[in-house]
Short mmCIF file of all heavy atoms in Angstrom, two decimals:
data_model
loop_
_atom_site.label_atom_id
_atom_site.label_comp_id
_atom_site.label_asym_id
_atom_site.label_seq_id
_atom_site.Cartn_x
_atom_site.Cartn_y
_atom_site.Cartn_z
N GLY M 1 109.26 82.99 99.29
CA GLY M 1 108.26 83.79 99.71
C GLY M 1 106.86 83.50 99.24
O GLY M 1 105.91 84.18 99.36
N GLU M 2 106.75 82.34 98.58
CA GLU M 2 105.48 81.85 98.02
C GLU M 2 104.51 81.64 99.08
O GLU M 2 104.75 81.19 100.28
CB GLU M 2 105.70 80.56 97.36
CG GLU M 2 104.42 80.09 96.64
CD GLU M 2 104.60 78.75 95.79
OE1 GLU M 2 105.65 78.24 96.02
OE2 GLU M 2 103.56 78.47 95.14
N THR M 3 103.31 82.23 98.90
CA THR M 3 102.16 82.12 99.92
C THR M 3 100.98 81.25 99.51
O THR M 3 100.79 81.12 98.24
CB THR M 3 101.72 83.52 100.27
OG1 THR M 3 101.26 84.28 99.08
CG2 THR M 3 102.95 84.33 100.85
N TRP M 4 100.21 80.83 100.40
CA TRP M 4 99.07 80.20 100.23
C TRP M 4 97.99 80.78 101.14
O TRP M 4 98.23 81.08 102.29
CB TRP M 4 99.19 78.68 100.40
CG TRP M 4 97.79 78.03 100.49
CD1 TRP M 4 97.23 77.50 99.40
CD2 TRP M 4 97.03 77.69 101.57
NE1 TRP M 4 95.91 76.73 99.76
CE2 TRP M 4 96.00 77.01 101.25
CE3 TRP M 4 97.23 78.03 102.99
CZ2 TRP M 4 94.87 76.67 102.05
CZ3 TRP M 4 96.20 77.63 103.85
CH2 TRP M 4 95.04 76.95 103.41
N TYR M 5 96.67 80.80 100.72
CA TYR M 5 95.67 81.28 101.57
C TYR M 5 94.40 80.38 101.45
O TYR M 5 94.10 79.96 100.32
CB TYR M 5 95.28 82.70 101.23
CG TYR M 5 96.28 83.77 101.42
CD1 TYR M 5 97.17 84.10 100.35
CD2 TYR M 5 96.56 84.45 102.59
CE1 TYR M 5 98.18 85.04 100.48
CE2 TYR M 5 97.58 85.28 102.78
CZ TYR M 5 98.30 85.62 101.69
OH TYR M 5 99.37 86.56 101.88
N ALA M 6 93.77 80.22 102.47
CA ALA M 6 92.45 79.67 102.44
C ALA M 6 91.44 80.56 101.56
O ALA M 6 91.61 81.80 101.68
CB ALA M 6 91.87 79.35 103.82
N GLY M 7 90.64 79.87 100.85
CA GLY M 7 89.73 80.65 100.05
C GLY M 7 88.87 81.71 100.77
O GLY M 7 88.49 82.73 100.33
N SER M 8 88.57 81.36 102.02
CA SER M 8 87.69 82.19 102.96
C SER M 8 88.41 83.48 103.25
O SER M 8 87.73 84.45 103.72
CB SER M 8 87.21 81.43 104.22
OG SER M 8 88.37 81.03 104.95
N VAL M 9 89.76 83.57 103.26
CA VAL M 9 90.39 84.75 103.63
C VAL M 9 91.21 85.38 102.46
O VAL M 9 91.79 86.54 102.77
CB VAL M 9 91.39 84.45 104.86
CG1 VAL M 9 90.69 83.81 105.94
CG2 VAL M 9 92.63 83.62 104.30
N LYS M 10 91.31 84.76 101.30
CA LYS M 10 92.11 85.32 100.17
C LYS M 10 91.53 86.62 99.80
O LYS M 10 90.25 86.85 99.69
CB LYS M 10 92.04 84.32 99.18
CG LYS M 10 93.07 84.74 97.99
CD LYS M 10 93.13 83.65 96.86
CE LYS M 10 94.16 84.08 95.85
NZ LYS M 10 94.31 82.97 94.87
N GLY M 11 92.48 87.65 99.75
CA GLY M 11 92.11 89.00 99.42
C GLY M 11 91.76 89.89 100.62
O GLY M 11 91.72 91.22 100.49
N ARG M 12 91.69 89.27 101.80
CA ARG M 12 91.51 89.95 103.06
C ARG M 12 92.60 89.88 104.00
O ARG M 12 92.98 90.84 104.71
CB ARG M 12 90.24 89.58 103.75
CG ARG M 12 88.96 89.70 102.98
CD ARG M 12 87.71 89.40 103.86
NE ARG M 12 87.72 87.93 104.23
CZ ARG M 12 87.75 87.62 105.45
NH1 ARG M 12 87.75 88.50 106.48
NH2 ARG M 12 87.67 86.28 105.84
N PHE M 13 93.34 88.63 103.95
CA PHE M 13 94.52 88.54 104.77
C PHE M 13 95.76 88.42 104.03
O PHE M 13 95.77 88.11 102.93
CB PHE M 13 94.32 87.12 105.58
CG PHE M 13 93.18 87.09 106.59
CD1 PHE M 13 92.25 88.05 106.75
CD2 PHE M 13 93.18 85.98 107.48
CE1 PHE M 13 91.24 87.94 107.56
CE2 PHE M 13 92.21 85.85 108.41
CZ PHE M 13 91.17 86.81 108.55
N THR M 14 96.91 88.95 104.75
CA THR M 14 98.18 88.72 104.01
C THR M 14 99.14 88.20 104.98
O THR M 14 99.33 88.74 106.17
CB THR M 14 98.67 90.15 103.58
OG1 THR M 14 97.67 90.73 102.70
CG2 THR M 14 100.00 90.04 102.99
N ILE M 15 99.83 87.14 104.61
CA ILE M 15 100.90 86.60 105.44
C ILE M 15 102.29 87.17 104.90
O ILE M 15 102.47 87.35 103.76
CB ILE M 15 100.97 85.05 105.44
CG1 ILE M 15 101.96 84.53 106.44
CG2 ILE M 15 101.26 84.48 104.02
CD1 ILE M 15 101.87 82.99 106.67
N SER M 16 103.19 87.41 105.79
CA SER M 16 104.42 88.03 105.60
C SER M 16 105.47 87.59 106.54
O SER M 16 105.05 87.16 107.59
CB SER M 16 104.42 89.51 105.32
OG SER M 16 104.05 90.23 106.56
N ARG M 17 106.80 87.81 106.24
CA ARG M 17 107.81 87.52 107.23
C ARG M 17 108.89 88.43 107.20
O ARG M 17 109.12 89.12 106.23
CB ARG M 17 108.22 86.14 106.90
CG ARG M 17 108.83 85.92 105.59
CD ARG M 17 109.19 84.42 105.36
NE ARG M 17 109.56 84.13 104.03
CZ ARG M 17 110.71 84.27 103.35
NH1 ARG M 17 111.64 84.76 104.13
NH2 ARG M 17 110.89 84.04 102.14
N ASP M 18 109.54 88.60 108.37
CA ASP M 18 110.72 89.41 108.57
C ASP M 18 111.78 88.41 109.01
O ASP M 18 111.91 88.01 110.20
CB ASP M 18 110.45 90.50 109.54
CG ASP M 18 111.64 91.37 109.69
OD1 ASP M 18 112.84 90.98 109.43
OD2 ASP M 18 111.39 92.61 110.08
N SER M 19 112.71 88.01 108.04
CA SER M 19 113.69 86.95 108.34
C SER M 19 114.65 87.40 109.43
O SER M 19 115.07 86.62 110.13
CB SER M 19 114.38 86.56 106.98
OG SER M 19 113.47 85.92 106.12
N ALA M 20 115.04 88.77 109.46
CA ALA M 20 115.95 89.18 110.34
C ALA M 20 115.52 89.11 111.76
O ALA M 20 116.20 88.86 112.70
CB ALA M 20 116.27 90.75 110.00
N LYS M 21 114.15 89.26 111.93
CA LYS M 21 113.49 89.02 113.19
C LYS M 21 113.06 87.71 113.47
O LYS M 21 112.56 87.47 114.56
CB LYS M 21 112.46 90.10 113.39
CG LYS M 21 112.83 91.55 113.37
CD LYS M 21 111.70 92.51 113.48
CE LYS M 21 112.13 93.96 113.36
NZ LYS M 21 110.94 94.89 113.57
N ASN M 22 113.06 86.86 112.59
CA ASN M 22 112.43 85.47 112.57
C ASN M 22 111.04 85.59 112.99
O ASN M 22 110.70 84.81 113.91
CB ASN M 22 113.33 84.68 113.53
CG ASN M 22 113.42 83.30 112.95
OD1 ASN M 22 112.86 82.92 111.92
ND2 ASN M 22 113.92 82.36 113.99
N THR M 23 110.30 86.39 112.33
CA THR M 23 108.93 86.68 112.71
C THR M 23 108.05 86.60 111.49
O THR M 23 108.41 87.01 110.44
CB THR M 23 108.81 88.11 113.36
OG1 THR M 23 109.58 88.22 114.51
CG2 THR M 23 107.28 88.31 113.74
N VAL M 24 106.89 86.01 111.69
CA VAL M 24 105.88 85.98 110.65
C VAL M 24 104.61 86.70 111.05
O VAL M 24 104.32 86.77 112.28
CB VAL M 24 105.51 84.44 110.32
CG1 VAL M 24 104.87 83.75 111.47
CG2 VAL M 24 104.61 84.38 109.11
N TYR M 25 103.93 87.37 110.13
CA TYR M 25 102.83 88.21 110.45
C TYR M 25 101.54 87.66 109.73
O TYR M 25 101.63 87.04 108.62
CB TYR M 25 103.05 89.77 110.03
CG TYR M 25 104.38 90.21 110.71
CD1 TYR M 25 105.55 90.21 109.99
CD2 TYR M 25 104.26 90.87 111.96
CE1 TYR M 25 106.68 90.73 110.66
CE2 TYR M 25 105.47 91.29 112.48
CZ TYR M 25 106.63 91.32 111.90
OH TYR M 25 107.83 91.85 112.33
N LEU M 26 100.49 88.06 110.17
CA LEU M 26 99.20 87.90 109.52
C LEU M 26 98.42 89.17 109.62
O LEU M 26 97.83 89.53 110.67
CB LEU M 26 98.41 86.74 110.11
CG LEU M 26 97.01 86.26 109.36
CD1 LEU M 26 97.54 85.82 107.98
CD2 LEU M 26 96.20 85.42 110.07
N GLN M 27 98.40 89.90 108.48
CA GLN M 27 97.57 91.17 108.44
C GLN M 27 96.30 90.87 107.96
O GLN M 27 96.01 90.23 106.92
CB GLN M 27 98.24 92.18 107.50
CG GLN M 27 97.49 93.48 107.38
CD GLN M 27 97.45 94.29 108.58
OE1 GLN M 27 98.52 94.80 109.05
NE2 GLN M 27 96.25 94.44 109.13
N MET M 28 95.19 91.16 108.88
CA MET M 28 93.82 90.88 108.52
C MET M 28 92.93 92.12 108.34
O MET M 28 92.97 92.94 109.29
CB MET M 28 93.23 90.01 109.70
CG MET M 28 94.05 88.73 110.05
SD MET M 28 93.30 87.71 111.28
CE MET M 28 93.51 88.86 112.70
N HIS M 29 92.39 92.21 107.30
CA HIS M 29 91.45 93.33 107.00
C HIS M 29 90.07 92.77 106.70
O HIS M 29 89.87 91.58 106.38
CB HIS M 29 91.97 94.12 105.69
CG HIS M 29 93.20 94.85 105.79
ND1 HIS M 29 93.44 95.85 106.79
CD2 HIS M 29 94.46 94.67 105.30
CE1 HIS M 29 94.71 96.27 106.77
NE2 HIS M 29 95.31 95.50 105.74
N SER M 30 89.12 93.66 106.78
CA SER M 30 87.68 93.45 106.39
C SER M 30 87.27 92.17 107.24
O SER M 30 86.70 91.23 106.68
CB SER M 30 87.44 93.11 104.92
OG SER M 30 87.89 94.23 104.21
N LEU M 31 87.58 92.15 108.50
CA LEU M 31 87.26 91.07 109.27
C LEU M 31 85.63 90.85 109.44
O LEU M 31 84.90 91.75 109.44
CB LEU M 31 87.83 91.26 110.73
CG LEU M 31 89.37 90.96 110.78
CD1 LEU M 31 89.94 91.57 112.02
CD2 LEU M 31 89.62 89.54 110.70
N LYS M 32 85.33 89.64 109.50
CA LYS M 32 83.99 89.10 109.58
C LYS M 32 83.75 88.40 110.88
O LYS M 32 84.73 87.73 111.48
CB LYS M 32 83.65 88.29 108.49
CG LYS M 32 83.80 88.87 107.04
CD LYS M 32 83.69 87.80 105.94
CE LYS M 32 83.91 88.42 104.70
NZ LYS M 32 83.68 87.43 103.49
N PRO M 33 82.56 88.21 111.41
CA PRO M 33 82.38 87.47 112.62
C PRO M 33 82.81 86.01 112.38
O PRO M 33 83.22 85.37 113.45
CB PRO M 33 80.77 87.52 112.68
CG PRO M 33 80.41 88.90 112.25
CD PRO M 33 81.37 89.05 111.03
N GLU M 34 82.69 85.53 111.17
CA GLU M 34 83.09 84.16 110.96
C GLU M 34 84.61 83.82 111.05
O GLU M 34 85.13 82.87 111.23
CB GLU M 34 82.75 83.76 109.47
CG GLU M 34 81.36 83.93 109.04
CD GLU M 34 81.07 85.30 108.53
OE1 GLU M 34 80.87 86.38 109.23
OE2 GLU M 34 81.05 85.36 107.25
N ASP M 35 85.35 85.04 111.26
CA ASP M 35 86.80 84.95 111.54
C ASP M 35 87.12 84.83 112.92
O ASP M 35 88.32 84.55 113.29
CB ASP M 35 87.53 86.20 110.96
CG ASP M 35 87.45 86.36 109.40
OD1 ASP M 35 87.48 85.45 108.71
OD2 ASP M 35 87.16 87.47 109.02
N THR M 36 86.07 84.89 113.80
CA THR M 36 86.42 84.76 115.10
C THR M 36 86.93 83.33 115.53
O THR M 36 86.26 82.40 115.14
CB THR M 36 85.07 84.90 115.96
OG1 THR M 36 84.60 86.24 115.83
CG2 THR M 36 85.27 84.63 117.54
N ALA M 37 88.04 83.24 116.17
CA ALA M 37 88.69 81.98 116.47
C ALA M 37 89.90 82.24 117.27
O ALA M 37 90.51 83.39 117.33
CB ALA M 37 89.10 81.26 115.14
N MET M 38 90.60 81.20 117.83
CA MET M 38 91.91 81.27 118.27
C MET M 38 92.89 81.14 117.10
O MET M 38 92.64 80.07 116.37
CB MET M 38 92.09 80.15 119.32
CG MET M 38 93.45 80.22 120.02
SD MET M 38 93.63 81.58 121.24
CE MET M 38 92.57 80.98 122.57
N TYR M 39 93.89 81.85 117.02
CA TYR M 39 94.64 81.83 115.84
C TYR M 39 96.01 81.35 116.35
O TYR M 39 96.61 81.84 117.41
CB TYR M 39 94.96 83.20 115.16
CG TYR M 39 93.65 83.55 114.28
CD1 TYR M 39 92.49 83.87 114.84
CD2 TYR M 39 93.88 83.55 112.88
CE1 TYR M 39 91.39 84.15 113.90
CE2 TYR M 39 92.80 83.85 112.10
CZ TYR M 39 91.65 84.16 112.56
OH TYR M 39 90.52 84.49 111.75
N TYR M 40 96.65 80.32 115.64
CA TYR M 40 97.86 79.75 115.89
C TYR M 40 98.85 79.84 114.82
O TYR M 40 98.52 79.67 113.69
CB TYR M 40 97.66 78.19 116.27
CG TYR M 40 96.74 77.93 117.33
CD1 TYR M 40 95.38 77.72 117.14
CD2 TYR M 40 97.13 77.71 118.74
CE1 TYR M 40 94.44 77.38 118.05
CE2 TYR M 40 96.33 77.34 119.65
CZ TYR M 40 94.96 77.19 119.28
OH TYR M 40 94.21 77.01 120.42
N CYS M 41 100.05 80.11 115.16
CA CYS M 41 101.14 80.01 114.20
C CYS M 41 101.92 78.65 114.34
O CYS M 41 101.88 78.01 115.42
CB CYS M 41 102.17 81.17 114.14
SG CYS M 41 103.23 81.19 115.73
N ALA M 42 102.45 78.22 113.16
CA ALA M 42 103.03 76.92 113.11
C ALA M 42 104.33 76.89 112.35
O ALA M 42 104.45 77.74 111.52
CB ALA M 42 102.09 75.94 112.62
N TYR M 43 105.16 75.95 112.65
CA TYR M 43 106.52 75.94 111.94
C TYR M 43 106.83 74.43 111.61
O TYR M 43 106.44 73.50 112.11
CB TYR M 43 107.53 76.31 113.10
CG TYR M 43 108.97 75.82 112.89
CD1 TYR M 43 109.91 76.59 112.30
CD2 TYR M 43 109.45 74.66 113.44
CE1 TYR M 43 111.17 76.18 111.99
CE2 TYR M 43 110.76 74.11 113.25
CZ TYR M 43 111.65 75.06 112.55
OH TYR M 43 112.92 74.63 112.42
N ARG M 44 107.51 74.42 110.38
CA ARG M 44 108.12 73.18 109.94
C ARG M 44 109.43 73.48 109.31
O ARG M 44 109.55 74.40 108.54
CB ARG M 44 107.19 72.42 108.91
CG ARG M 44 107.80 71.15 108.39
CD ARG M 44 106.92 70.45 107.31
NE ARG M 44 107.63 69.32 106.77
CZ ARG M 44 107.59 68.05 107.37
NH1 ARG M 44 106.89 67.68 108.42
NH2 ARG M 44 108.21 67.08 106.79
N ARG M 45 110.43 72.70 109.61
CA ARG M 45 111.78 72.92 109.03
C ARG M 45 112.09 72.06 107.66
O ARG M 45 112.45 72.67 106.77
CB ARG M 45 112.87 72.45 110.03
CG ARG M 45 114.26 72.62 109.54
CD ARG M 45 115.28 72.13 110.57
NE ARG M 45 115.20 70.73 110.87
CZ ARG M 45 115.73 69.62 110.16
NH1 ARG M 45 116.44 70.09 109.14
NH2 ARG M 45 115.56 68.48 110.61
N GLN M 46 111.74 70.92 107.76
CA GLN M 46 111.99 69.97 106.61
C GLN M 46 111.06 70.30 105.38
O GLN M 46 109.96 70.56 105.51
CB GLN M 46 111.93 68.53 107.01
CG GLN M 46 112.98 68.15 107.98
CD GLN M 46 112.99 66.67 108.17
OE1 GLN M 46 111.84 66.07 108.50
NE2 GLN M 46 114.23 66.00 108.25
N TYR M 47 111.70 69.99 104.24
CA TYR M 47 110.86 70.14 103.02
C TYR M 47 109.73 69.13 102.93
O TYR M 47 109.79 68.03 103.37
CB TYR M 47 111.89 69.94 101.90
CG TYR M 47 111.33 70.09 100.50
CD1 TYR M 47 111.22 71.36 99.86
CD2 TYR M 47 110.74 68.96 99.79
CE1 TYR M 47 110.59 71.56 98.58
CE2 TYR M 47 110.22 69.21 98.52
CZ TYR M 47 110.11 70.48 97.96
OH TYR M 47 109.49 70.64 96.76
#
């Protein structure tokens, strides 16, 4: 469950996962105009 955040979002965004549902979330608070973008999720299996 170790997490990493870009400096621009640390303290405002939280990534989490629900393994049973195989779902990952991104909770975003205190949104700024600079956060405007297309957001993509990504996957990697191998270490």
